[in-house]
Amino acid sequence: MSDQVALVLSGGGARAAYQVGVLRGISRRFPDLAPPILTGVSAGAINAAFLAAHTEPFHAKVDLLRQMWRDLRTDDVFRVDSASLARNVARTGLRLVSGGLIRAPRSSALVDTSPLRELLLRSMAAPDGSLSGIDANLARGTLRSVAITASCYTTGRSVTWFQGGEPRLWDRDHRVGEHAVLTVDHVLASASLPLFFPAVQVGGRWYGDGGIRLTAPLSPAIHLGASRILAISTRSPLAPVTADGESAAPYPPPAQVAGTLMNAVFLDSFDADALSARRVNDLLQAWPPEQRGELRPLDLFVMRPSRDLGRLADEFEPRLPSAFRFMTRGWGTKEARSNDFLSMVMFQPDYIAGLIAIGEADVSARSEALSAFLAR
């Protein structure tokens, strides 16, 4: 069933817990499924790397991944104590208002993500940073290849590191594919939200969130030989626009603007790439096989949240750690109509549990369509 299926996981910060719910729902309904090609970007790279690095059967490692997310606290991802947050904000503010004349110690980001590194080292059984489980899965044949994408601040290009398989290296406009022995640093680089999380150095270059420059999120799986793709997006459905409601809306706070920008940069390209894939499929059906060249039809199934995850975050905002809540409210998270920005950094146990539950429910609602896709 699964020998041709690639699993593609988008970004979305804390919203990637929705992917875990989808994966758990799928693994329980389709216990024979074990996608041999795994690709991920940003928070999706954490999930993809976790699955690639664990050697248990697929359904068992999905349960382990779910447990990791269910146990997650905000301070497992970044430091939320008042001193750390105030220090980073003050350093950044001093450099801005002084035009760089005040030589305060440089702050590389708004938050300190050293707890996230420790979490990944523990949860992926990688005390020295190396993901040795990937080699074990490749040797056993339960994994064909895994790919993680990051954005290189040095060159301005999107870089996909992949391990396993025998694909050709690719070099497209602004995006390249490179062989690599994946480590926790590759995962952290892919998941480093710009400015909010610090950049990560890999091989002498600095990298940040993989969604910044990745204009074709499905392309790594295609380059790795996938003909069928199960993609899980964290992009919430857009609310219907009503003329009366829009005309009465107040001026958007910074958090609302930041959420819109994050969706545009990290998630909208996923939908655009899926639409392009379907259009290419339609064109290929009209062409005889001998005229298709290297192009081939792509069987694509996209799972996405049935609820607005930004609006859901509003319900849990009062329970954030006090210092972090104070900082985010300065951005207007209390006034934002849909907290897409906050939903990406809300590593709250109750919010995460809600996302996982939505993912499992969405699989139940689409189980017939999933069965048809996997049976093709």
Side-chain angles (χ1 to χ4, degrees):
M1 177 188 294
S2 59
D3 57 342
Q4 298 176 356
V5 177
L7 182 63
V8 175
L9 303 175
S10 75
R15 296 198 299 209
Y18 169 79
Q19 297 172 347
V20 180
V22 171
L23 290 171
R24 187 165 189 262
I26 291 175
S27 67
R28 299 179 95 184
R29 282 171 172 75
F30 311 101
D32 294 331
L33 179 68
I37 300 174
L38 304 172
T39 76
V41 59
S42 191
I46 294 176
N47 290 337
F50 186 101
L51 296 174
H54 278 264
T55 57
E56 295 83 0
F58 187 75
H59 67 87
K61 52 189 172 186
V62 167
D63 285 341
L64 290 173
L65 179 61
R66 176 179 177 271
Q67 192 60 50
M68 183 194 80
W69 278 91
R70 286 296 303 267
D71 292 341
L72 201 61
R73 303 291 187 274
T74 305
D75 54 9
D76 289 323
V77 181
F78 49 83
R79 293 183 60 186
V80 294
D81 58 283
S82 301
S84 176
L85 291 174
R87 182 170 57 251
N88 288 338
V89 172
R91 287 175 177 176
T92 303
L94 278 174
R95 293 186 67 85
L96 286 174
V97 300
S98 70
L101 295 178
I102 296 179
R103 296 298 178 184
R106 181 181 296 274
S107 177
S108 56
L110 288 177
V111 297
D112 177 358
T113 56
S114 55
L116 178 59
R117 175 183 289 275
E118 295 302 317
L119 171 68
L120 296 184
L121 291 175
R122 293 193 310 271
S123 63
M124 296 186 184
D128 61 351
S130 61
L131 303 176
S132 57
I134 294 178
D135 277 333
N137 285 325
L138 290 172
R140 293 164 51 197
T142 55
L143 179 69
R144 185 189 306 171
S145 51
V146 55
I148 290 173
T149 301
S151 300
C152 182
Y153 290 135
T154 307
T155 65
R157 307 185 83 183
S158 173
V159 179
T160 296
W161 298 296
F162 60 88
Q163 185 173 348
E166 295 296 334
R168 292 175 297 176
L169 302 181
W170 63 90
D171 190 341
R172 303 290 189 268
D173 289 342
H174 307 301
R175 55 187 176 90
V176 297
E178 300 178 355
H179 281 290
V181 177
L182 296 178
T183 66
V184 167
D185 280 340
H186 292 95
V187 181
L188 285 169
S190 179
S192 293
L193 287 169
L195 301 180
F196 198 77
F197 288 4
V200 177
Q201 193 173 34
V202 178
R205 292 178 174 174
W206 291 97
Y207 293 87
D209 197 291
I212 300 174
R213 297 304 302 269
L214 184 59
T215 55
L218 302 178
S219 63
I222 296 172
H223 284 296
L224 293 171
S227 58
R228 291 194 292 161
I229 291 179
L230 173 58
I232 308 178
S233 172
T234 61
R235 182 69 158 99
S236 302
L238 295 177
V241 177
T242 59
D244 292 341
E246 289 302 309
S247 62
Y251 192 85
Q256 190 81 40
V257 177
T260 301
L261 287 173
M262 284 188 167
N263 278 335
V265 172
F266 301 122
L267 299 176
D268 287 358
S269 59
F270 200 90
D271 294 330
D273 201 22
L275 178 61
S276 296
R278 292 189 176 104
R279 287 177 172 172
V280 170
N281 280 348
D282 292 340
L283 288 174
L284 289 178
Q285 289 179 0
W287 292 351
E290 62 272 13
Q291 294 182 13
R292 295 177 182 177
E294 294 184 354
L295 295 176
R296 63 184 188 276
L298 180 67
D299 196 359
L300 174 64
F301 191 96
V302 179
M303 286 289 301
R304 66 181 68 255
S306 57
R307 292 188 58 185
D308 186 331
L309 303 186
R311 290 186 183 275
L312 181 65
D314 291 336
E315 302 175 18
F316 301 96
E317 187 271 349
R319 304 172 200 174
L320 285 170
S322 56
F324 183 62
R325 184 177 67 242
F326 180 82
M327 184 180 74
T328 57
R329 284 185 176 180
W331 280 54
T333 52
K334 285 289 287 182
E335 295 80 36
R337 300 175 64 192
S338 178
N339 264 310
D340 287 320
F341 164 71
L342 190 60
S343 71
M344 293 188 181
V345 295
M346 182 173 275
F347 297 95
Q348 283 287 102
D350 42 11
Y351 179 64
I352 287 172
L355 298 184
I356 293 174
I358 293 171
E360 293 190 52
D362 286 350
V363 170
S364 295
R366 301 190 64 188
S367 59
E368 290 187 10
L370 269 169
S371 296
F373 167 75
L374 294 174
R376 282 197 287 270

